Amino acid sequence: MSSQIDHLLDETRKFPPSEDFVAQTISSPELYERAAADREAFWGEQSRELLHWHKPFTRVLDWSAPPFAKWFDDGELNVAYNCLDRHVEAGNGDRVALHWEGEPGDSRTITYAELTDEVKRVANVLTDLGVGHGDRVAIYLPMIPEAIASMLAVARLGAIHSVVFGGFSADSLRARIDDAGAKVVITADGGYRKGRVSALKPAVDQALSDRGDGEQQTVEHVLVVQRGGNDVDWVEGRDVWWHEAVPAASAEHTAQAFPSENPLYILYTSGTTGKPKGILHTSGGYLTQAAYSHKYVFDLHPETDVFWCTADIGWVTGHSYVAYGPLANGATQVLYEGTPDSPHPGRWWEIIEKYKVSIFYTAPTAIRSFMKIGRAVPQKFDLSSLRLLGSVGEPINPEAWMWYREVIGGNKAPIVDTWWQTETGAIMVSALPGVTATKPGSAQVPLPGISIDVVDEQGAEVGNGNGGLLVITEPWPSMLRGIWGDPERYKETYWEKFEDQGYYFAGDGARLDEDGDLWLLGRVDDVMNVSGHRLSTAEIESSLVAHEATAEAAVVGASDETTGQAVVAFVIVKESYLAEHDPAGLAQLLRLWVGEQIGAIARPRDVYIVGELPKTRSGKIMRRLLRDVAEGREVGDTTTLADTAVMSIISAQVK
Ligand code: WTA
């Protein structure tokens, strides 16, 4: 990390937007001025301009009981109506909402009128299955149009969705279904990944059946999309085929208005403890900022642009920039089911050429893996339709930024590096592409209406030229409203550290350069960022110690050229296990175990079997020292260890 930071400090290149870009941009410096003049009035204006309110709000923000905010709280709206019906009513029903591309090469084009019709039918089916206002629905689907339709149908009913990434295991799925108390699960038989069908329904069956004594089962029905064509088990009375129920349902459905603070979704994310947190987002404020940021950060021209965000709907980026932002703005977008290299390494570029994608939003880890393969692959395709590029999920190193600019953006498309989190709901820090001169590796400036600072451990501003902790100093419309079922944890995790100042603590380190631009420096807590996915060290450690071989485990995120960070585990094996088993192959076994327990994304890159772990006298594991070993560095200061010889033993064992 430190070498990367030194390197970042040397970066001085700047790229102002071209004259052509400025001539057509929808944004202007005036946005910053308006927001600065009266922040709340600004958000009120944005919300009225971008959304349809069934009942207009009269109050923008209620911050009388911090950290629990209410935005636009006496207003009423329907989120799905805002994403669908109103575009059809405005005469844009024939506009393409989704250019969907399946991994095997099948495709579907779905207009706003068609998507509206489908969502109304699904809403009727869900109503028949007993889903009503406030009920929770888990969604465990591949990247198919039905995934978007499901989210919107749940939203239409004023119910709450919890999308679970399709790569998560049955155990992870069960934990999420149980925590939310879901009434219905929407899944598919399977979906295509890496050239073959990857089954999903068996994980749902397992999540719902594998129960200990006395555990309550909340799920009443499972709605199943047929996609993979793989054989599935069927529970009569519980399971319902989508292709039977949805076409048979009525396409008449009137969207009812719900209060602005009606919960919209729960999305689980990793924190510093083993238990994932259910981040809760609500309706009016969330949709306002999702639409606002999507419009201005991506300089959206909905009549002509083709937008493509490559994120899976299982992550927050897929919620805000595949589902809600683009649809609220009436944009045309690409949705792709599969992996970037199936069936060939140019698949993404082929899709950009095919649909003439003009705005492309992806993660640095993807860019770095394309860099590795080389520019010859993208250069085989016509990427000239691209006029704007975005990056999200982790710090983008200047080399990857420059490659993205030159090879993908043809040296003309501005790059917006967008910083935000599951908790923030929408983009918080980013250049405005028609206004800001961009800098490789810097996320740069808070969006108009957003207040961010960098402070020291005591909460004092560090000022330009210095590093510290990123904080959000004023409430924002799409902020999380809490952690599902755990208001105390919400306060502790985000608000306690800077309680006196009333700042939200993001968990990220950052630096302000001499111009006051922000450079993100990675997490300062025990959260890792692997390929832009958040993983907690504690969660993987608890999975490792759940294996019969493991006595103790410590996990660190070590820097990795392609994935940003990689999971590296240090494991002490039980004597009793060694007495009866051959330790060869155990490391591999444990890697696969974690993959099965949590999901393939959590599988450690390396598992080292060691005899000891470095601990302080109070018994706290010093992960910093393990990170030194994992990154092949000289081991740092060991004087606070209970046994200072431990690190040389571990280093020898790792070699
Ligand atoms: C990191 C993803 C640097 C950061 C939207 C944050 C970034 C965490 C950037 C949230 C960026 C996200 N530059 N770091 N542009 N974007 N991060 O909840 O550490 O999956 O706290 O949300 O990703 O990850 P999450």
Side-chain angles (χ1 to χ4, degrees), residues 14-76:
K14 253 192 198 187
F15 298 91
S18 67
E19 271 173 35
D20 289 352
F21 198 96
V22 173
Q24 59 79 61
T25 188
I26 59 160
S27 68
S28 83
E30 200 229 337
L31 273 177
Y32 292 100
E33 289 157 25
R34 262 161 53 204
D38 187 340
R39 222 175 62 87
E40 284 185 30
F42 174 78
W43 281 119
E45 265 169 47
Q46 289 302 326
S47 189
R48 276 184 280 264
E49 204 175 292
L50 293 161
L51 304 184
H52 172 84
W53 289 86
H54 277 71
K55 176 174 171 253
F57 55 89
T58 62
R59 177 166 52 182
V60 172
L61 170 66
D62 176 358
W63 190 231
S64 57
F68 298 93
K70 290 182 186 159
W71 283 86
F72 315 118
D73 75 316
D74 62 346
E76 290 181 3

Coordinates of all heavy atoms in Angstrom, one line a residue, residues 14-76:
K14 N -3.4 16.0 -15.8 CA -4.7 16.6 -15.7 C -5.4 16.5 -17.1 O -4.7 16.9 -18.1 CB -4.7 18.0 -15.3 CG -5.1 18.3 -13.9 CD -5.3 19.8 -13.7 CE -5.3 20.0 -12.2 NZ -5.6 21.4 -11.9
F15 N -6.6 16.2 -17.2 CA -7.3 16.1 -18.5 C -8.6 16.9 -18.5 O -9.6 16.4 -18.0 CB -7.6 14.7 -18.9 CG -6.3 13.8 -19.1 CD1 -5.8 13.1 -18.0 CD2 -5.7 13.8 -20.3 CE1 -4.6 12.4 -18.1 CE2 -4.5 13.1 -20.4 CZ -4.0 12.4 -19.4
P16 N -8.6 18.1 -19.0 CA -9.8 18.9 -19.0 C -10.8 18.3 -20.1 O -10.3 17.6 -21.0 CB -9.4 20.3 -19.5 CG -8.0 20.2 -20.0 CD -7.4 18.9 -19.5
P17 N -12.1 18.4 -20.0 CA -13.0 17.9 -21.0 C -12.7 18.6 -22.3 O -12.3 19.8 -22.3 CB -14.4 18.2 -20.4 CG -14.2 19.3 -19.4 CD -12.8 19.1 -18.9
S18 N -13.0 17.9 -23.4 CA -12.7 18.5 -24.7 C -13.8 19.5 -25.0 O -14.9 19.5 -24.4 CB -12.8 17.4 -25.8 OG -14.1 16.9 -25.9
E19 N -13.6 20.4 -26.0 CA -14.5 21.4 -26.4 C -15.8 20.7 -26.8 O -16.9 21.2 -26.5 CB -14.0 22.2 -27.5 CG -13.2 23.4 -27.0 CD -12.6 24.2 -28.2 OE1 -13.2 24.2 -29.3 OE2 -11.4 24.7 -27.9
D20 N -15.7 19.6 -27.6 CA -16.9 18.9 -28.0 C -17.7 18.4 -26.9 O -19.0 18.5 -26.9 CB -16.5 17.7 -28.9 CG -15.9 18.1 -30.2 OD1 -16.0 19.3 -30.5 OD2 -15.4 17.3 -31.0
F21 N -17.0 17.9 -25.9 CA -17.8 17.4 -24.7 C -18.5 18.5 -24.0 O -19.7 18.4 -23.7 CB -16.9 16.6 -23.8 CG -17.6 15.7 -22.9 CD1 -17.8 14.3 -23.2 CD2 -18.2 16.2 -21.7 CE1 -18.5 13.5 -22.3 CE2 -19.0 15.4 -20.9 CZ -19.1 14.0 -21.2
V22 N -17.8 19.6 -23.8 CA -18.4 20.7 -23.1 C -19.6 21.3 -23.8 O -20.6 21.7 -23.2 CB -17.3 21.8 -22.8 CG1 -17.9 23.1 -22.2 CG2 -16.2 21.3 -21.9
A23 N -19.5 21.3 -25.2 CA -20.6 21.9 -26.0 C -21.9 21.1 -25.8 O -23.0 21.7 -25.9 CB -20.2 21.8 -27.4
Q24 N -21.8 19.8 -25.4 CA -23.1 19.1 -25.3 C -23.4 18.7 -23.9 O -24.5 18.0 -23.7 CB -23.0 17.8 -26.2 CG -21.8 16.9 -25.9 CD -22.1 16.0 -24.7 OE1 -23.0 15.2 -24.8 NE2 -21.3 16.1 -23.7
T25 N -22.6 19.0 -22.9 CA -22.9 18.5 -21.6 C -24.1 19.1 -21.0 O -24.5 20.3 -21.3 CB -21.7 18.8 -20.7 OG1 -21.9 18.1 -19.4 CG2 -21.5 20.3 -20.4
I26 N -24.8 18.3 -20.1 CA -26.0 18.8 -19.5 C -25.6 19.5 -18.2 O -26.5 20.1 -17.5 CB -27.0 17.7 -19.2 CG1 -26.3 16.6 -18.3 CG2 -27.6 17.1 -20.4 CD1 -27.3 15.8 -17.6
S27 N -24.4 19.4 -17.7 CA -24.1 20.0 -16.4 C -23.3 21.3 -16.6 O -22.9 21.6 -17.7 CB -23.2 19.0 -15.6 OG -22.0 18.8 -16.1
S28 N -23.2 22.0 -15.5 CA -22.5 23.3 -15.5 C -22.0 23.6 -14.1 O -22.6 23.1 -13.1 CB -23.4 24.4 -16.1 OG -24.2 24.9 -15.0
P29 N -21.0 24.5 -14.0 CA -20.5 24.8 -12.7 C -21.6 25.4 -11.8 O -21.5 25.5 -10.6 CB -19.4 25.9 -13.0 CG -19.1 25.7 -14.4 CD -20.3 25.2 -15.1
E30 N -22.6 25.9 -12.4 CA -23.7 26.5 -11.7 C -24.4 25.5 -10.7 O -24.9 25.9 -9.7 CB -24.8 27.0 -12.7 CG -25.7 28.0 -12.2 CD -27.1 27.7 -12.6 OE1 -27.4 26.9 -13.5 OE2 -28.0 28.2 -11.9
L31 N -24.3 24.2 -11.0 CA -24.9 23.2 -10.1 C -24.2 23.3 -8.7 O -24.8 23.2 -7.7 CB -24.6 21.8 -10.6 CG -25.6 21.2 -11.6 CD1 -25.0 19.8 -12.0 CD2 -26.9 21.0 -10.9
Y32 N -22.9 23.5 -8.7 CA -22.1 23.6 -7.5 C -22.6 24.9 -6.7 O -22.7 24.9 -5.5 CB -20.6 23.7 -7.7 CG -20.0 22.4 -8.2 CD1 -19.7 22.2 -9.6 CD2 -19.7 21.4 -7.3 CE1 -19.2 21.1 -10.0 CE2 -19.2 20.2 -7.8 CZ -18.9 20.0 -9.2 OH -18.4 18.9 -9.6
E33 N -22.7 26.0 -7.5 CA -23.1 27.2 -6.9 C -24.5 27.1 -6.2 O -24.7 27.6 -5.1 CB -23.1 28.4 -7.9 CG -21.7 28.8 -8.3 CD -21.7 29.4 -9.7 OE1 -22.8 30.0 -10.1 OE2 -20.7 29.3 -10.4
R34 N -25.5 26.5 -7.0 CA -26.8 26.4 -6.4 C -26.8 25.6 -5.1 O -27.5 25.9 -4.2 CB -27.7 25.8 -7.5 CG -28.5 26.9 -8.2 CD -29.1 26.4 -9.5 NE -29.9 25.2 -9.4 CZ -30.1 24.3 -10.4 NH1 -29.6 24.6 -11.6 NH2 -30.8 23.3 -10.3
A35 N -26.1 24.5 -5.2 CA -26.0 23.6 -4.0 C -25.4 24.3 -2.8 O -25.8 24.1 -1.7 CB -25.3 22.3 -4.3
A36 N -24.4 25.1 -3.1 CA -23.7 25.7 -2.0 C -24.5 26.8 -1.4 O -24.5 27.1 -0.2 CB -22.3 26.3 -2.5
A37 N -25.3 27.5 -2.2 CA -26.2 28.6 -1.7 C -27.2 28.1 -0.7 O -27.4 28.7 0.3 CB -26.8 29.3 -2.9
D38 N -27.8 26.9 -1.0 CA -28.8 26.4 -0.1 C -29.0 24.9 -0.4 O -29.7 24.5 -1.3 CB -30.2 27.1 -0.3 CG -31.2 26.7 0.7 OD1 -31.1 25.6 1.3 OD2 -32.2 27.5 0.9
R39 N -28.3 24.1 0.4 CA -28.2 22.7 0.1 C -29.6 22.0 0.1 O -29.9 21.2 -0.8 CB -27.3 22.0 1.2 CG -26.4 21.0 0.8 CD -25.5 20.6 2.0 NE -26.4 20.0 3.0 CZ -26.7 18.7 3.1 NH1 -26.2 17.9 2.1 NH2 -27.5 18.3 4.0
E40 N -30.4 22.3 1.1 CA -31.7 21.6 1.2 C -32.6 22.0 0.1 O -33.3 21.2 -0.5 CB -32.3 21.9 2.6 CG -31.6 21.0 3.7 CD -32.3 21.1 5.0 OE1 -33.5 21.4 5.1 OE2 -31.6 21.0 6.0
A41 N -32.6 23.3 -0.2 CA -33.4 23.8 -1.3 C -33.0 23.1 -2.6 O -33.8 22.7 -3.5 CB -33.3 25.3 -1.4
F42 N -31.7 22.9 -2.8 CA -31.1 22.3 -4.0 C -31.7 20.9 -4.1 O -32.1 20.5 -5.2 CB -29.6 22.3 -3.9 CG -28.9 21.5 -5.0 CD1 -28.8 22.1 -6.2 CD2 -28.4 20.2 -4.7 CE1 -28.1 21.4 -7.2 CE2 -27.8 19.5 -5.7 CZ -27.6 20.1 -7.0
W43 N -31.6 20.1 -3.0 CA -32.1 18.7 -3.1 C -33.6 18.7 -3.3 O -34.1 17.8 -4.0 CB -31.8 18.0 -1.8 CG -30.3 17.5 -1.8 CD1 -29.3 17.9 -0.9 CD2 -29.7 16.6 -2.7 NE1 -28.1 17.2 -1.2 CE2 -28.4 16.5 -2.4 CE3 -30.2 15.9 -3.9 CZ2 -27.4 15.6 -3.1 CZ3 -29.3 15.1 -4.6 CH2 -27.9 15.0 -4.2
G44 N -34.3 19.6 -2.7 CA -35.8 19.7 -3.0 C -36.1 19.9 -4.5 O -36.9 19.3 -5.1
E45 N -35.3 20.9 -5.1 CA -35.5 21.2 -6.5 C -35.2 19.9 -7.3 O -35.9 19.6 -8.3 CB -34.4 22.2 -6.9 CG -34.7 23.6 -7.0 CD -33.4 24.4 -7.2 OE1 -32.6 24.1 -8.0 OE2 -33.2 25.4 -6.4
Q46 N -34.0 19.3 -7.0 CA -33.6 18.1 -7.8 C -34.7 17.0 -7.7 O -35.1 16.4 -8.7 CB -32.3 17.5 -7.2 CG -31.1 18.3 -7.5 CD -30.9 18.6 -9.0 OE1 -31.2 17.7 -9.8 NE2 -30.4 19.7 -9.3
S47 N -35.3 16.8 -6.5 CA -36.2 15.7 -6.3 C -37.5 16.0 -7.1 O -38.1 15.2 -7.8 CB -36.6 15.6 -4.8 OG -37.3 14.4 -4.7
R48 N -38.0 17.3 -7.1 CA -39.2 17.7 -7.8 C -38.9 17.5 -9.3 O -39.8 17.1 -10.1 CB -39.6 19.1 -7.5 CG -40.5 19.1 -6.2 CD -41.0 20.5 -5.9 NE -39.9 21.3 -5.3 CZ -39.8 21.5 -4.0 NH1 -40.7 21.0 -3.1 NH2 -38.8 22.2 -3.5
E49 N -37.7 17.9 -9.7 CA -37.4 17.9 -11.2 C -37.3 16.4 -11.7 O -37.7 16.1 -12.8 CB -36.1 18.6 -11.3 CG -35.8 19.2 -12.7 CD -34.5 20.0 -12.6 OE1 -34.5 21.0 -11.9 OE2 -33.5 19.5 -13.2
L50 N -36.7 15.6 -10.9 CA -36.3 14.2 -11.4 C -37.4 13.2 -11.2 O -37.4 12.2 -11.9 CB -35.0 13.8 -10.7 CG -33.8 14.5 -11.1 CD1 -32.7 14.3 -10.1 CD2 -33.3 14.1 -12.5
L51 N -38.3 13.4 -10.2 CA -39.2 12.4 -9.8 C -40.7 12.9 -9.9 O -40.9 14.1 -9.9 CB -39.0 11.9 -8.4 CG -37.6 11.4 -8.0 CD1 -37.6 10.8 -6.6 CD2 -37.2 10.3 -9.0
H52 N -41.6 11.9 -10.0 CA -43.0 12.2 -9.9 C -43.5 11.9 -8.5 O -43.4 10.8 -8.1 CB -43.8 11.4 -10.9 CG -45.3 11.6 -10.7 ND1 -46.0 12.7 -11.2 CD2 -46.2 10.9 -10.0 CE1 -47.2 12.6 -10.9 NE2 -47.4 11.6 -10.1
W53 N -44.0 12.9 -7.8 CA -44.5 12.7 -6.5 C -46.1 12.7 -6.6 O -46.7 13.6 -7.0 CB -44.1 13.8 -5.6 CG -42.6 13.8 -5.2 CD1 -41.6 14.3 -6.0 CD2 -42.0 13.1 -4.1 NE1 -40.4 13.9 -5.3 CE2 -40.6 13.2 -4.2 CE3 -42.5 12.4 -3.0 CZ2 -39.7 12.7 -3.3 CZ3 -41.7 11.9 -2.1 CH2 -40.3 12.0 -2.2
H54 N -46.6 11.5 -6.1 CA -48.1 11.5 -6.1 C -48.6 12.5 -5.1 O -49.6 13.2 -5.4 CB -48.6 10.1 -5.6 CG -48.6 9.1 -6.7 ND1 -47.5 8.5 -7.3 CD2 -49.7 8.5 -7.3 CE1 -47.8 7.6 -8.2 NE2 -49.1 7.6 -8.2
K55 N -47.9 12.6 -4.0 CA -48.3 13.7 -3.1 C -47.0 14.5 -2.9 O -46.0 14.0 -2.3 CB -48.8 13.1 -1.8 CG -49.1 14.2 -0.7 CD -49.8 13.5 0.5 CE -49.8 14.5 1.6 NZ -48.9 14.3 2.7
P56 N -46.9 15.8 -3.3 CA -45.7 16.5 -3.1 C -45.3 16.7 -1.7 O -46.2 16.8 -0.8 CB -46.1 17.9 -3.8 CG -47.3 17.7 -4.6 CD -48.0 16.5 -3.9
F57 N -44.0 16.7 -1.4 CA -43.5 17.0 -0.1 C -43.4 18.5 0.2 O -43.3 19.3 -0.8 CB -42.1 16.3 0.1 CG -41.1 16.8 -0.9 CD1 -40.3 17.9 -0.7 CD2 -40.9 16.1 -2.1 CE1 -39.4 18.4 -1.6 CE2 -40.0 16.6 -3.1 CZ -39.2 17.7 -2.8
T58 N -43.5 18.8 1.5 CA -43.4 20.2 1.8 C -42.1 20.4 2.6 O -41.6 21.5 2.8 CB -44.5 20.7 2.7 OG1 -44.6 20.0 3.9 CG2 -45.9 20.6 1.9
R59 N -41.5 19.3 3.1 CA -40.3 19.4 3.9 C -39.2 18.6 3.3 O -39.4 17.4 3.0 CB -40.6 18.9 5.3 CG -39.5 18.9 6.3 CD -39.9 18.7 7.7 NE -40.8 17.5 7.8 CZ -41.3 17.2 9.0 NH1 -41.1 17.9 10.1 NH2 -42.1 16.1 9.0
V60 N -38.0 19.1 3.2 CA -36.9 18.4 2.5 C -36.3 17.4 3.5 O -36.2 16.2 3.3 CB -35.9 19.3 1.9 CG1 -34.7 18.6 1.4 CG2 -36.5 20.1 0.8
L61 N -35.8 17.9 4.6 CA -35.0 17.1 5.5 C -35.5 17.3 7.0 O -35.6 18.4 7.4 CB -33.5 17.5 5.4 CG -32.6 16.8 6.5 CD1 -32.5 15.3 6.3 CD2 -31.2 17.5 6.4
D62 N -35.6 16.1 7.6 CA -35.9 16.1 9.1 C -34.7 15.5 9.7 O -34.5 14.2 9.6 CB -37.2 15.4 9.4 CG -37.4 15.3 10.9 OD1 -36.6 15.8 11.7 OD2 -38.5 14.7 11.3
W63 N -33.9 16.2 10.4 CA -32.6 15.7 11.0 C -32.7 16.0 12.5 O -31.8 16.4 13.2 CB -31.4 16.4 10.4 CG -30.0 15.9 10.7 CD1 -29.0 16.7 11.1 CD2 -29.5 14.6 10.5 NE1 -27.9 15.9 11.2 CE2 -28.1 14.6 10.9 CE3 -30.1 13.4 10.1 CZ2 -27.3 13.5 10.9 CZ3 -29.3 12.2 10.1 CH2 -27.9 12.3 10.5
S64 N -34.0 15.9 13.0 CA -34.2 16.3 14.4 C -33.8 15.1 15.4 O -33.6 15.3 16.5 CB -35.6 16.6 14.6 OG -36.5 15.5 14.3
A65 N -33.6 13.9 14.8 CA -33.2 12.8 15.7 C -32.0 12.1 15.0 O -32.1 10.9 14.7 CB -34.3 11.8 15.9
P66 N -30.8 12.8 14.9 CA -29.7 12.1 14.2 C -29.2 10.9 15.0 O -29.4 10.9 16.3 CB -28.6 13.2 14.2 CG -29.0 14.2 15.3 CD -30.5 14.1 15.4
P67 N -28.6 9.9 14.4 CA -28.3 9.8 13.0 C -29.5 9.2 12.1 O -29.2 8.6 11.1 CB -27.1 8.9 13.0 CG -27.4 7.9 14.1 CD -28.1 8.7 15.1
F68 N -30.7 9.4 12.6 CA -31.8 8.8 11.8 C -32.5 10.0 11.0 O -33.1 10.8 11.5 CB -32.8 8.1 12.7 CG -32.2 7.0 13.4 CD1 -31.7 7.1 14.7 CD2 -32.2 5.7 12.8 CE1 -31.1 6.0 15.3 CE2 -31.6 4.6 13.4 CZ -31.1 4.8 14.7
A69 N -32.2 10.0 9.7 CA -32.7 11.1 8.8 C -34.0 10.7 8.2 O -34.3 9.6 7.9 CB -31.7 11.4 7.7
K70 N -34.8 11.7 7.9 CA -36.0 11.6 7.0 C -35.9 12.6 5.9 O -35.7 13.8 6.2 CB -37.3 11.8 7.9 CG -37.5 10.7 8.9 CD -38.8 11.0 9.6 CE -39.1 10.0 10.7 NZ -40.0 10.6 11.7
W71 N -36.1 12.1 4.7 CA -36.0 13.0 3.6 C -37.4 13.1 2.9 O -38.0 12.0 2.6 CB -35.0 12.6 2.6 CG -33.5 12.9 3.0 CD1 -32.7 12.1 3.8 CD2 -32.8 14.1 2.6 NE1 -31.5 12.8 4.0 CE2 -31.5 14.0 3.3 CE3 -33.1 15.2 1.8 CZ2 -30.5 14.9 3.1 CZ3 -32.1 16.2 1.7 CH2 -30.8 16.0 2.3
F72 N -37.8 14.3 2.6 CA -39.1 14.5 1.8 C -40.2 13.8 2.5 O -41.1 13.2 1.8 CB -38.9 14.0 0.4 CG -37.6 14.4 -0.3 CD1 -36.7 13.4 -0.7 CD2 -37.3 15.7 -0.5 CE1 -35.5 13.8 -1.3 CE2 -36.1 16.1 -1.1 CZ -35.2 15.1 -1.5
D73 N -40.2 13.7 3.8 CA -41.0 12.7 4.5 C -42.5 12.9 4.5 O -43.2 11.9 4.8 CB -40.5 12.5 6.0 CG -40.9 13.6 6.9 OD1 -40.8 14.8 6.4 OD2 -41.3 13.3 8.0
D74 N -43.0 14.0 4.2 CA -44.5 14.1 4.1 C -45.0 13.9 2.6 O -46.1 14.0 2.3 CB -45.1 15.4 4.7 CG -44.6 16.7 4.0 OD1 -43.6 16.6 3.2 OD2 -45.1 17.7 4.2
G75 N -44.0 13.6 1.7 CA -44.4 13.3 0.3 C -44.7 11.8 0.1 O -44.3 11.0 0.9
E76 N -45.4 11.5 -1.0 CA -45.7 10.1 -1.3 C -45.4 9.9 -2.8 O -45.6 10.7 -3.6 CB -47.2 9.8 -1.0 CG -47.5 9.8 0.4 CD -49.0 9.5 0.7 OE1 -49.7 9.2 -0.3 OE2 -49.4 9.5 1.9

